[in-house]
Amino acid sequence: VKFNNCAGNKGVRYETKSLDFKVRADGTLYTAHHLQVPSKQLVLVVSAWDPQTLGTWEAMVRFLVTDKSQHNGHKPKGRKALPGELVQQQSDTLLPWRQHQSANGLRRQKRDWVIPPINVPENSRGPFPQQLVRIRSDKDKEIHIRYSITGVGADQPPMEVFNIDPVSGRMYVTRPMDREERASYHLRAHAVDMNGNKVENPIDLYIYVIDMNDNRPEFINQVYNGSVDEGSKPGTYVMTVTANDADDGTTANGMVRYRIVTQTPQSPSQNMFTINSETGDIVTVAAGLDREKVQQYIVIVQATDMEGNLNYGLSNTATAIITVTDVNDNPPEFTTSTVSIHTSAGLMGQASRNWGGMGLPTTTYTHCHFSFSQPKGPREKIQHFAAAVDYEMNRAFMLTVMVSNQAPLASGIQMSFQSTAGVTISVTDVNEAPYFPTNHKLIRLEEGVPTGTVLTTFSAVDPDRFMQQAVRYSKLSDPANWLNINATNGQITTAAVLDRESDYIKNNVYEATFLAADNGIPPASGTGTLQIYLIDINDNAPELLPKEAQICEKPNLNVINITAADADIDPNVGPFVFELPSVPSAVRKNWTITRLNGDYAQLSLRIMYLEAGVYDVPIIVTDSGNPPLYNTSVIKVKVCPCDENGDCTTIGAVAAAGLGTGAIIAILICIIILLTMVLLFVVWMKRREKERHTKQLLIDPEDDVRDNILKYDEEGGGEEDQDYDLSQLQQPETMDHVLNKTPGVRRVDERPIGAEPQYPIRPVIPHPGDIGDFINEGLRAADNDPTAPPYDSLLVFDYEGSGSTAGSVSSLNSSSSGDQDYDYLNDWGPRFKKLADMYGGGE
């Protein structure tokens, strides 16, 4: 292989990751050992690395391997193949399976070869799917073979990263690879015939993802905190910063180098620290660290991969905060040599100027009344607390106080490491508070003592011997208000019965606080705590839990677990005795109770079936106190039908609550009937409303012909009893008398058989503008209706008797003599069509 970096290739180094090949300095590739090449193609990645620029270049080299028999026993020679040749010659085809020939002819001998790893660069831009290699068996000339691959990336998550053409055996990668997600894949190639029978043994395929520099170094922390003593020498270790690169750490892509970008403040030098480029160790590089001048440095550290090459590498930064710690380079010193104080509490002085003092004050005058505090800040005053300084014992003290550093001074400091001062302390008498000699005071007694019982005397002592003062007592805290105290002598008596089971008792102890105050100026008071330990007596009967339960109506594994609880403590509690009362007798007949242990029992049905409902089951439970106490607890048990899982059904739960199945069905039927009635009423109301609107007339009811055509089956008396208008039987010459006819008797005839008229439907709420259209449509329908009067049919009149004023109908003749023109009948409409045909059309 040849490489040109445009700089004469000085110092360029070649390398490869393959263990079977090596590269010389001139780019020659050679085998590192005796090698059996299993395929006709071999792929290697050769890297060229420039140590000066830290640049790395890679090239992929493919070798075409030929059989020894094709070259008369010579070793195969490799050459760099062009992509075009590889496609044409199918140089990417692997033959992991082959046949061997024996003296007796061809004989199949399966032999597994080791396939060289397949290298795939990450973050490839495709196009996808991208072919990697072709796998082929030499048996495909004899039978049809189907190829497949299995393993992670094929049929195991992540799925379908690689796939293979089952016919040609070409294996593809379907998407870009990420080495940081997965660096390698182990697949197995399979060859089977059309029936799924194995033709060759599975072959292992190893696919390595070639790393690219696509990840920046990441610091473990964005802020690092370290410290260094002031005055440290150059080379003193401070801290270590660490950055990790997700890229391959064996290549330049993952090799991180560190450097310091800035330092703040730049005093006394801009380069007070340096960093190891490979390990990230920060050390001092210059002298002059002084906490009194600069207490903290902020250093910005940069991490770059590609071995620190800023041109090609990716970088990231972090902050290192370096605190300069104090050392003992200043001795303590008192500001004055003598101190005179009048106090009853303590002494006030001054410490050295060092923060924390690094000093431990000591005194040459040993006395049990005084102790010394450590200074906590610069120029902070030292406070000497007087411990039990009593004016009645000592009225003055002479002390010599010495202060020194706890640690020796730093080397090179030529000063005294301690300082002394004389202190005179005058004690002033003050009114001291009374105190209880025994505090906390504990007494023991049984609970339940009667009211007014004297428990103890809780008295206080006044330390002021030179003052004539009286002490008065009072209650400060009595949570249950059980106690009284005598104001003059401190005698404690009970104000109520003491109950150990009260909520005010903690761990069998009742605690009350009392106050003792004198009458001094100003008055002073002290507190004392009285603790009463109450001994338990058997004064509480046991109780049963739970109070309510449910059980199936038939015996099964569904039982009721019962727990006994007693407010007392041992030995006035368990083991408990559980039993059912003999009265009423139905309890022991229907139920049984079984004791599990001292505190638990089980209640179950004794009979094979119990009707669903709620039952009160009394149970007698007795404790083990002396004398024992018992209690009869009633448990409400809901007996209900259960499903196959032993749970109460919904209907069963309702039935258990007091409603039977018949009652439930009756309630449901009533609800359905009620809903049906409501629905029918709503439908009836809507229909009635619709009919009411439909029957509304837009014209006078007297002029509505349809509503005035009546049929009577009763003829009545005679014609003299009827007010008939006989002119209706005559043929009118004009329609004026018809149109102007007053309301009166209508024709009563049989209705001819014919089609029913199709009258227009009236709108429920008509618009005034539609009335005219409605009348016209009604007229047209009536004109075309042969069933509407007058009927053009043969009418038969019976003789009604004598005395008729009409006379004989046969005598009726035309009102005019001579021939008449009946053509006007054609203009009268369909109702007079028959007359028009008879008279108007001629003979």
Side-chain angles (χ1 to χ4, degrees), residues 409-420:
L409 295 175
S411 59
I413 305 299
Q414 301 296 328
M415 297 179 65
S416 175
F417 66 92
Q418 64 183 13
S419 177
T420 59

Side-chain angles (χ1 to χ4, degrees), residues 150-166:
T150 59
V152 177
D155 60 346
Q156 299 178 19
M159 307 287 287
E160 298 181 356
V161 178
F162 304 95
N163 58 30
I164 189 171
D165 189 325

Side-chain angles (χ1 to χ4, degrees), residues 265-288:
Q266 298 181 357
S267 173
S269 172
Q270 62 180 359
N271 295 320
M272 294 297 295
F273 306 94
T274 186
I275 188 171
N276 188 305
S277 62
E278 295 185 0
T279 63
D281 295 338
I282 299 178
V283 298
T284 59
V285 71

Side-chain angles (χ1 to χ4, degrees), residues 580-582 584-592 605-608:
L580 297 174
S582 58
S585 60
V587 175
R588 293 192 176 184
K589 176 181 177 182
N590 297 335
W591 305 91
T592 181
L605 286 175
R606 178 185 293 273
I607 60 178
M608 297 304 298

Side-chain angles (χ1 to χ4, degrees), residues 359-379:
L360 177 62
T362 59
T363 177
T364 57
Y365 181 82
T366 302
H367 200 281
C368 62
H369 292 92
F370 297 94
S371 61
F372 302 90
S373 64
Q374 187 77 8
K376 298 181 180 180
R379 299 290 180 182

Side-chain angles (χ1 to χ4, degrees), residues 13 46 394 480 601 674 677 783:
R13 302 176 183 176
V46 180
N394 296 293
L674 181 61
M677 294 177 62
D783 289 341

Side-chain angles (χ1 to χ4, degrees), residues 294-618:
V294 178
Q295 297 184 1
Q296 191 178 80
Y297 290 91
I298 298 178
V299 178
I300 304 300
V301 181
Q302 183 183 58
T304 307
D305 57 14
M306 297 300 292
E307 297 183 301
N309 190 325
L310 298 178
N311 295 326
Y312 304 102
L314 303 176
S315 301
N316 212 337
T317 59
T319 302
I321 301 177
I322 303 175
T323 302
V324 181
T325 56
D326 186 33
V327 298
N328 191 20
D329 56 350
N330 293 282
E333 182 179 358
F334 279 110
T335 59
T336 181
S337 58
T338 58
V339 178
S340 178
I341 297 176
H342 295 271
T343 183
S344 59
L347 171 69
M348 303 298 293
Q350 290 184 352
S352 67
R353 75 182 188 95
N354 276 355
W355 177 82
M358 301 291 291
L360 177 62
T362 59
T363 177
T364 57
Y365 181 82
T366 302
H367 200 281
C368 62
H369 292 92
F370 297 94
S371 61
F372 302 90
S373 64
Q374 187 77 8
K376 298 181 180 180
R379 299 290 180 182
E380 183 179 3
K381 295 180 179 180
I382 300 176
Q383 184 179 11
H384 301 261
F385 295 96
V389 176
D390 192 355
Y391 174 81
E392 286 74 18
M393 298 296 296
N394 296 293
R395 301 185 180 184
F397 297 91
M398 299 294 296
L399 304 177
T400 298
V401 180
M402 180 183 66
V403 60
S404 63
N405 285 116
Q406 190 174 9
L409 295 175
S411 59
I413 305 299
Q414 301 296 328
M415 297 179 65
S416 175
F417 66 92
Q418 64 183 13
S419 177
T420 59
V423 179
T424 301
I425 300 176
S426 300
V427 181
T428 303
D429 189 18
V430 295
N431 184 25
E432 300 175 76
Y435 66 93
F436 291 89
T438 304
N439 196 13
H440 301 22
K441 185 175 183 179
L442 178 65
I443 61 175
R444 300 171 62 92
L445 71 154
E446 287 187 349
E447 63 173 330
V449 295
T451 303
T453 302
V454 178
L455 302 182
T456 185
T457 300
F458 197 28
S459 58
V461 177
D462 191 347
D464 296 318
R465 294 179 299 171
F466 302 103
M467 299 181 183
Q468 299 297 326
Q469 299 177 148
V471 178
R472 305 285 295 179
Y473 301 93
S474 62
K475 287 195 302 184
L476 186 63
S477 173
D478 185 10
N481 201 22
W482 284 347
L483 304 176
N484 289 327
I485 187 170
N486 190 294
T488 57
N489 60 14
Q491 188 179 69
I492 306 294
T493 59
T494 59
V497 178
L498 277 62
D499 186 7
R500 191 200 63 83
E501 289 74 30
S502 172
D503 295 335
Y504 299 103
I505 301 298
K506 305 298 181 183
N507 297 326
N508 302 327
V509 175
Y510 180 73
E511 190 172 278
T513 305
F514 298 93
L515 182 70
D518 60 20
N519 57 353
I521 301 176
S525 62
T527 60
T529 301
L530 176 64
Q531 293 179 334
I532 304 174
Y533 185 91
L534 296 178
I535 302 173
D536 183 44
I537 62 175
N538 192 19
D539 57 346
N540 292 276
E543 295 287 340
L544 290 183
L545 296 174
K547 298 297 183 181
E548 295 182 357
Q550 66 181 20
I551 194 171
C552 297
E553 60 185 4
K554 295 182 179 180
N556 55 13
L557 297 180
N558 188 3
V559 297
I560 301 174
N561 293 322
I562 301 174
T563 303
D566 196 325
D568 295 322
I569 60 175
D570 192 67
N572 298 318
V573 287
F576 298 95
V577 177
F578 303 88
E579 57 182 345
L580 297 174
S582 58
V583 178
S585 60
V587 175
R588 293 192 176 184
K589 176 181 177 182
N590 297 335
W591 305 91
T592 181
I593 190 168
T594 304
R595 177 180 172 184
L596 298 179
N597 54 31
D599 297 332
Y600 301 96
Q602 286 185 345
L603 179 66
S604 59
L605 286 175
R606 178 185 293 273
I607 60 178
M608 297 304 298
Y609 173 79
L610 184 62
E611 185 179 357
V614 179
Y615 296 86
D616 291 337
V617 180

Side-chain angles (χ1 to χ4, degrees), residues 33-187:
H33 52 80
H34 181 71
L35 181 64
Q36 180 84 22
V37 182
S39 62
K40 292 185 177 181
Q41 178 182 344
L42 186 63
V43 180
L44 295 178
V45 176
V46 180
S47 301
W49 176 59
D50 189 349
Q52 297 180 354
T53 62
L54 300 179
T56 302
W57 296 265
E58 294 181 346
M60 184 176 294
V61 180
R62 295 187 179 181
F63 291 98
L64 294 181
V65 184
T66 59
D67 195 2
K68 294 182 180 180
S69 60
Q70 297 179 5
H71 293 276
N72 299 325
H74 294 284
K75 293 182 179 180
K77 297 181 179 180
R79 65 181 180 90
K80 186 175 182 181
L82 298 177
E85 295 178 355
L86 296 177
V87 175
Q88 295 174 2
Q89 301 175 8
Q90 297 182 352
S91 59
D92 58 347
T93 302
L94 300 179
L95 290 173
W97 306 286
R98 65 176 182 177
Q99 294 179 349
H100 292 271
Q101 184 174 3
S102 63
N104 297 328
L106 290 177
R107 180 170 57 88
R108 293 186 179 180
Q109 294 180 351
K110 293 188 177 181
R111 184 176 180 183
D112 296 340
W113 287 8
V114 179
I115 305 302
I118 302 172
N119 297 317
V120 181
E122 68 172 332
N123 302 326
S124 174
R125 296 184 179 180
F128 295 99
Q130 183 177 6
Q131 181 176 339
L132 298 180
V133 72
R134 180 184 178 189
I135 301 173
R136 189 176 67 85
S137 173
D138 54 4
K139 297 178 184 177
D140 60 356
K141 298 178 181 178
E142 303 173 3
I143 58 176
H144 292 287
I145 295 180
R146 291 294 181 264
Y147 301 95
S148 63
I149 55 176
T150 59
V152 177
D155 60 346
Q156 299 178 19
M159 307 287 287
E160 298 181 356
V161 178
F162 304 95
N163 58 30
I164 189 171
D165 189 325
V167 178
S168 65
R170 297 182 184 275
M171 193 171 81
Y172 301 89
V173 60
T174 61
R175 62 190 185 204
M177 309 296 290
D178 187 0
R179 192 204 66 85
E180 288 71 38
E181 180 180 349
R182 192 176 184 89
S184 63
Y185 296 85
H186 177 202
L187 304 178

